[in-house]
Amino acid sequence: MGRSPCCEKAHTNKGAWTKEEDERLIAHIRVHGEGRWRSLPKAAGLLRCGKSCRLRWINYLRPDLKRGNFTEEEDELIIKLHSLLGNKWSLIAARLPGRTDNEIKNYWNTHIRRKLLGRGLDPTTHRPINERASNTTTISFGRREEKSSDVLGHKEERSSSEESSAWQQQQRLKCPDLNLELCIAPPFQQEPVVEPVKRKGNLCFSCSLGLQKSEECRCDRFLGLSTEYY
DNA sequence: AAAGTTATCAACCGCCTATAT
DNA sequence: CATATAGGCGGTTGATAACTT
């Protein structure tokens, strides 16, 4: 017994949306508003999964979507937010009006990741890549064709090349094709942007309730970042 | 011009959480 | 409190456009 499917898969369309499907979805949401995604397809006369409708609306049809290329300011804001939040794309998207989490996620994977690598920064940790060599310990589990003997102190023990190759053969049998590398690094120490107490104080009541984008919001900062970007 | 490779991005999948019953 | 359901999220896939050989 697995988890029940979110909708009836047998009678639902998949893949790219047609113009007609888009129009039906838009017309339905204009009249009934967002929400009740599970029942929406039937009500709107769509042969789609509710989740698919929600995704199509949020990522593509919503009228407030910005579209177009990301600006340099948006790039830097995404990088800054990612260094603070990690892969929390929905939280990052919440700070970029008109952009969706899916769009930002795709943009990160295709552009920003490379941009950071070009700057010599690890896109995951936001730390310099060459820092890895000095601050990390690498443990390798693997067979080393030529040098395994000297590392483990077997070099002197080998009296002939024949004996050496027999020992290597033995090691191969113990670790067939195993070539794993584990890297251990100290946790990333990010300079706190603001003091925690102060940060809390900067959140207005609606934000403290998790309503960052509400009309009642009186915050001018979020996670220590000025909202001057937009 | 054709074939092969790479980049892009819309859409799907499955898991998790919040809420309703 | 336990269970069911809906919504939301992040990771991944697949189609296709763009580019290279």
Side-chain angles (χ1 to χ4, degrees), chain A residues 17 25 41 56 83 142 144 148 177 191 198 200 220 230:
Chain A
W17 279 64
L25 182 57
R56 183 65 180 168
S83 71
R144 299 174 65 182
S148 56
D177 290 323
E191 285 292 318
K198 277 187 179 175
K200 195 179 178 185
D220 59 347
Y230 53 89

Side-chain angles (χ1 to χ4, degrees), chain A residues 7 36 39 78-79 87 89 100 136 145 161:
Chain A
C7 54
R36 294 184 299 275
S39 57
I78 291 168
I79 292 167
N87 294 359
W89 306 116
T100 70
T136 63
E145 298 287 345
S161 60

Side-chain angles (χ1 to χ4, degrees), chain A residues 78-105:
Chain A
I78 291 168
I79 292 167
K80 203 167 184 179
L81 287 166
H82 187 273
S83 71
L84 291 164
L85 302 167
N87 294 359
K88 299 289 174 196
W89 306 116
S90 59
L91 289 177
I92 294 171
R95 308 306 300 167
L96 284 125
R99 302 295 188 185
T100 70
D101 52 359
N102 204 36
E103 191 180 13
I104 293 170
K105 179 172 60 183

Side-chain angles (χ1 to χ4, degrees), chain A residues 110-134:
Chain A
T110 55
H111 294 88
I112 299 184
R113 186 174 266 278
R114 243 181 291 150
K115 193 174 183 175
L116 289 179
L117 287 170
R119 290 178 187 174
L121 295 171
D122 184 321
T124 309
T125 62
H126 295 259
R127 287 162 41 163
I129 290 167
N130 56 13
E131 207 178 274
R132 214 173 148 248
S134 55

Side-chain angles (χ1 to χ4, degrees), chain A residues 1 8 16 24 27 29 33 37-38 45 61 70 73 86 93 99-101 119 134 142 158 167 174 176 181 213:
Chain A
M1 282 293 282
E8 181 60 60
R24 275 179 185 269
I29 291 174
W37 297 108
R38 196 178 157 89
L61 300 174
F70 281 77
E73 287 74 26
R99 302 295 188 185
T100 70
D101 52 359
R119 290 178 187 174
S134 55
R158 306 265 85 83
W167 183 82
K174 279 184 187 170
E181 261 195 4
K213 290 178 79 182

Side-chain angles (χ1 to χ4, degrees), chain A residues 80-81 83-85 91 95 189-209 212 217-226:
Chain A
K80 203 167 184 179
L81 287 166
S83 71
L84 291 164
L85 302 167
L91 289 177
R95 308 306 300 167
Q189 300 293 323
Q190 169 101 35
E191 285 292 318
V193 183
V194 289
E195 289 173 45
V197 178
K198 277 187 179 175
R199 183 195 297 164
K200 195 179 178 185
N202 280 339
L203 290 179
C204 69
F205 179 65
S206 70
C207 282
S208 69
L209 294 174
Q212 268 91 8
C217 176
R218 296 287 178 271
C219 285
D220 59 347
R221 299 178 75 81
F222 172 72
L223 290 170
L225 293 166
S226 168

Side-chain angles (χ1 to χ4, degrees), chain A residues 1-186:
Chain A
M1 282 293 282
R3 181 191 169 85
S4 60
C6 69
C7 54
E8 181 60 60
K9 304 245 181 199
H11 305 292
T12 54
N13 292 339
K14 288 176 80 172
W17 279 64
T18 64
K19 200 159 183 278
E20 195 198 334
E21 285 178 313
D22 282 348
E23 282 164 2
R24 275 179 185 269
L25 182 57
I26 292 167
H28 181 88
I29 291 174
R30 270 198 193 130
V31 175
H32 301 95
E34 290 183 45
R36 294 184 299 275
W37 297 108
R38 196 178 157 89
S39 57
L40 183 149
K42 199 176 177 185
L46 287 162
L47 293 173
R48 288 277 178 177
C49 169
K51 278 186 172 187
S52 181
C53 295
R54 177 185 161 271
L55 219 60
R56 183 65 180 168
W57 174 255
I58 287 174
N59 289 331
Y60 203 80
L61 300 174
R62 248 170 50 198
D64 58 324
L65 291 180
K66 198 181 265 180
R67 299 259 147 232
N69 294 338
F70 281 77
T71 64
E72 195 58 38
E73 287 74 26
E74 283 177 314
D75 277 19
E76 293 308 317
L77 180 56
I78 291 168
I79 292 167
K80 203 167 184 179
L81 287 166
H82 187 273
S83 71
L84 291 164
L85 302 167
N87 294 359
K88 299 289 174 196
W89 306 116
S90 59
L91 289 177
I92 294 171
R95 308 306 300 167
L96 284 125
R99 302 295 188 185
T100 70
D101 52 359
N102 204 36
E103 191 180 13
I104 293 170
K105 179 172 60 183
N106 281 332
Y107 187 65
W108 175 272
N109 288 326
T110 55
H111 294 88
I112 299 184
R113 186 174 266 278
R114 243 181 291 150
K115 193 174 183 175
L116 289 179
L117 287 170
R119 290 178 187 174
L121 295 171
D122 184 321
T124 309
T125 62
H126 295 259
R127 287 162 41 163
I129 290 167
N130 56 13
E131 207 178 274
R132 214 173 148 248
S134 55
N135 287 348
T136 63
T137 303
T138 300
I139 305 167
S140 294
F141 300 91
R143 68 173 202 235
R144 299 174 65 182
E145 298 287 345
E146 314 298 346
K147 295 188 175 176
S148 56
S149 58
D150 51 9
V151 168
L152 297 170
H154 289 276
K155 202 170 189 174
E156 287 73 32
E157 293 167 28
R158 306 265 85 83
S159 57
S160 68
S161 60
E162 210 178 303
E163 202 178 343
S164 171
S165 97
W167 183 82
Q168 281 173 8
Q169 182 65 30
Q170 199 182 344
Q171 295 306 307
R172 281 185 201 125
L173 288 170
K174 279 184 187 170
C175 309
D177 290 323
L178 185 61
N179 186 20
L180 303 175
E181 261 195 4
L182 291 181
C183 296
I184 303 169

